[in-house]
Amino acid sequence: MAKVLTIHGGVPLKGKVTVRGAKNLVPKAMVAALLGDSPSVLRNVPEIKDVAVVTSLLKIHGVTVSKDEVTGDLTMDPSGTKTATSNEIDTHAGDSRIPILFCGPLLHSLGEALIPNLGGCKIGDRPIDFHLDVLRHFGAEIDKAGPLGTSIRAPHGLTGAKISLPYPSVGATEQVLLTAVRAKGTTEVENAAIEPEILDLISLLQKMGAIITVGRDRVIRIIGVEKLNGYNHKALPDRNESASWASAALVTKGDIFVEGAAQRDLTAFLHTYRQIGGEFEVTDDGIRFFHPGGDLKPLILETDVHPGFMTDWQQPLVVALTQATGVSIIHETVYENRFGFTNALVEMGAKVQLHSECLGAIPCRFGQRNFQHSAVITGPTPLTGADVDIPDLRGGFSHLIAALAAEGTSHVTGIELINRGYEKFMDKLTDLGARVEMNEIA
Ligand code: EPU
């Protein structure tokens, strides 16, 4: 039975939603619990798919994971960590990209790691070459990449290394951190990612006893220690979910208070939001986002690594730009294939043209390589309801808010993908006044 979400559009979304811990931190914090020699407690944990996947992966590796039914806090006890069977591992093939981050902690505890074939959103090739190079620098041996995944061993232990990343990759930087904290000696990583979620992971590792400094110019130094203890940590709020609801308020001409949204992690987004004509009010408890009336303004924008405009904010914002008066240009510099979602917007009435040229000033790895990674959006164009199949998490959210703003009715399939990053999504939509209903079809 497939689920179909029917959306009757044209209703401004109004009310309050609460965002909890960041999808791009929480699963990694759960992996870090493997590094401790005592239980860790993680707070502000959202009910999303990656949390369920990592819970299951931890359990098959002998970690006891218990959830406080009232608060949702997770307690993870790694004292029984053991090798999982390849069959157990294989049940997680294609589920998520997080399993690649189990390598360092498992190599430290067990001397070996078997990683299933990875999943995650289809927004480009998403290779793992940086991760495997990082692990080789520490002395790991990558035995095979066969049908059951990747098998990695460290028969002589892991030793700190000097690493220079080809790109400030979030995942590869996390790979370095989760491996270096218990490796012998010092590690220095140049060209590291410094996203807020990375800094939160560093805070949590510091609580465990790790020695880490973040230097100038994206250089992180880690002095390995033999033992780490468990942590007690409250995950930072999800800035991507916050930005998504902000765009939903703008697109539907609504007014949404995002409880838990943190201004300090959203500076580049808030700047852009105001530039195109959205308004916001920051309070201690969250941020109110609203359409103040009048025309939205077009803009020229490039996605970038932190502190730039994040690639995950781009897709919902594109929907808002279809309603701006004039021509907007977006140059996507993080992923080569993150505009596929615009096809459905065009079907709904938007005018979006894709180009393989770099329409921007940031040097990007995708120019002259046939990747349609620049978009020209002409607005305003009325949107009408359509039948849409969700392609990935953020693209899917954009389709949903386009359908919520559109005249008429839309039918959306593939809605399960939204659970990867948006907790209690249907409840939130209903609370905001959306006219939606979920049905099942054979
Ligand atoms: N890359 C490689 N080789 C690698 C790793 C990355 O070429 O081994 C490339 C990627 O293909 C991409 C670029 O480097 O072009 C950046 O990728 P990065 O490693 O930074 O991304 P990630 O760690 O796989 C995380 C988030 C993404 C977010 C990016 C960028 C998680 C679970 N995912 O992915 O979030 O877009 O960082 O900030 O943390 C989302 O939330 O929807 C999402 C896709």
Side-chain angles (χ1 to χ4, degrees), residues 23-24 28 50 97-98 121 123 125-131 167-172 174 195 240 310-312 334-336 338 365-366 393-394:
K23 158 192 162 283
N24 291 349
K28 294 119 185 227
D50 270 357
R97 280 181 69 77
I98 308 297
C121 287
I123 49 180
D125 256 0
R126 306 198 77 184
I128 54 167
D129 50 338
F130 301 168
H131 292 259
Y167 183 79
S169 150
V170 168
E174 292 160 345
E195 266 62 10
N240 295 344
M310 214 196 166
T311 171
D312 300 314
V334 180
Y335 288 106
E336 70 274 28
R338 221 172 180 184
R365 298 161 293 149
F366 312 131
L393 179 62
R394 309 294 169 196

Side-chain angles (χ1 to χ4, degrees), residues 23-71:
K23 158 192 162 283
N24 291 349
L25 177 272
V26 167
K28 294 119 185 227
M30 293 172 70
V31 177
L34 274 168
L35 291 161
D37 62 2
S38 53
S40 289
V41 178
L42 186 60
R43 292 173 285 121
N44 208 21
V45 179
E47 279 175 35
I48 54 172
K49 188 178 167 212
D50 270 357
V51 169
V53 171
V54 178
T55 300
S56 171
L57 277 163
L58 286 173
K59 284 183 176 169
I60 62 175
H61 284 97
V63 178
T64 312
V65 184
S66 48
K67 179 173 163 183
D68 183 312
E69 288 310 325
V70 179
T71 59

Side-chain angles (χ1 to χ4, degrees), residues 257-264 270 280-289:
F257 181 70
V258 184
E259 186 180 53
Q263 180 186 20
R264 77 171 174 251
L270 294 173
F280 59 87
E281 278 170 18
V282 179
T283 73
D284 288 349
D285 300 327
I287 306 178
R288 172 187 168 214
F289 295 96

